[in-house]
Amino acid sequence: MADSIPSPTPTDRPVYIIGGGPAGLSVAHTLRVRGIRAVVLEKSDRVGAAWRRHYDRLRLHTTRRLSALPGLPIPRRFGRWVARDDMVRYLEKYAEAHALEIVTGVEVSRVERSPDGTGWLLHATGGRELTGAAVVVATGYNHTPYVPDWPGRETYRGEFLHAGEYRNSARYAGRDVLVVGVGNTGAEIAVDLVEGGASRVRVSVRTVPHIVRRSTAGWPAQRTSILVRRLPVGLVDRLARPVAKLSVPDLSAHGLPRPDTGLYSRVKEGAIPVLDVGLIDAVREGRVEIVAAVDGFEDDKVILADSNRVSADAVIAATGYVRGLEDLVGHLGVLDASGRPVVQGARTSKHAPGLYFQGYTNPISGNLREVAIDAEKIAKSVARNDDGRLSRLP
């Protein structure tokens, strides 16, 4: 990995890629294959920083074969559902095998048009000003932890943490824990706590999720998702209902009724189904209790939407993340009202030609699979729009 960034000339500018995770590394490789110099700027000291921070038991919910990045399969020895540490090893090997140019310890704070209007100017740590022919923003879908502005939260005296700070169940053995949120992260943390010996585990649910078996009779849910993702939303919703009734037991008596909106309709709104890794059995057996949504806090109590008050030794907020792109590119008119890029992949905004966004979707077919597909498309677009200023590899 490089430790310095040479200053390019106006007719010899690299493509700068902000972020050294799967999204950024994949684009760096596909650009390099086309002879285009790509420089990855990573704010931490190693690639795959976000993956290193995930909780210990994490495994991909997408299969090994359908999660590989362009140009390098994930080793078969990592198994069908790749563990966190193995994914980190894969990303390290990916950067090494493809001889990617990566500069660590550099954080980009703002991107704007270059003074001559022919490229992009990046403001980075240490007062650096870097000029590139194009920029790929790949800072991650799960960038900044989000915690709702609950009333009384600042006065709560109990232990409180975001799921992004959770590592494993060791410190919660014998303790009463409330997990707020039942997306994939909240569901898996709840199961981890139960298996790790927590005395009581409750999950606070605001919107009942769709729950899908990660694999049924050896057939992964991801493959079904790929098959149906181009079908009409209403049709997929109708097809999913009988499948859910056959594969997932009715948990209504335990506080998790079947959702009253369609599975794919929810996906289009940004809510990916919970892929079961033990939650169904834990709820059915009473090891995980479902409670109402959190409305606020008062001293050492958590106030629920049904007016009940809950005492817990620890509260873990599995309440998601935001993209955190406003300071970086918010002034360029490329974000929607929720802070997400208005266009992604190979498309660029008319306000910002040459500025690409990679990895900011969470599709039903799997984020890593789509990242790999978009990497190829972005590289083709960059090469196609080369006006002679791109830095080429020798």
Side-chain angles (χ1 to χ4, degrees), residues 371-392:
V371 156
I373 293 171
D374 281 344
E376 300 281 3
K377 294 179 179 178
I378 290 172
K380 289 179 182 178
S381 177
V382 171
R384 184 171 59 248
N385 293 305
D386 181 11
D387 60 0
R389 292 183 174 84
L390 272 174
S391 179
R392 294 283 176 172

Side-chain angles (χ1 to χ4, degrees), residues 28-40:
H29 167 63
T30 54
L31 287 168
R32 186 177 178 82
V33 166
R34 287 166 176 77
I36 299 170
R37 183 177 172 227
V39 180
V40 178

Side-chain angles (χ1 to χ4, degrees), residues 197-214:
S199 63
R200 186 177 189 182
V201 178
R202 285 171 283 190
V203 176
S204 169
V205 176
R206 183 171 299 278
T207 303
V208 178
H210 285 273
I211 303 176
V212 176
R213 299 283 188 185
R214 186 174 65 176

Side-chain angles (χ1 to χ4, degrees), residues 4-8 12-16 28 31-32 34-39 101 103 390-394:
S4 62
I5 311 170
S7 299
D12 186 23
R13 294 171 173 171
V15 175
Y16 283 114
L31 287 168
R32 186 177 178 82
R34 287 166 176 77
I36 299 170
R37 183 177 172 227
V39 180
E101 187 175 351
V103 185
L390 272 174
S391 179
R392 294 283 176 172
L393 297 171

Side-chain angles (χ1 to χ4, degrees), residues 1 19-22 24-25 40-52 87-96 100-104:
M1 297 182 186
L25 297 180
V40 178
L41 305 176
E42 168 55 47
K43 70 177 181 179
S44 73
D45 60 349
R46 293 174 292 181
V47 299
W51 282 90
R52 299 174 193 275
M87 190 64 192
V88 170
R89 293 186 187 98
Y90 171 70
L91 295 177
E92 291 173 337
K93 182 64 177 178
Y94 192 86
E96 177 187 353
L100 303 182
E101 187 175 351
I102 301 169
V103 185
T104 57

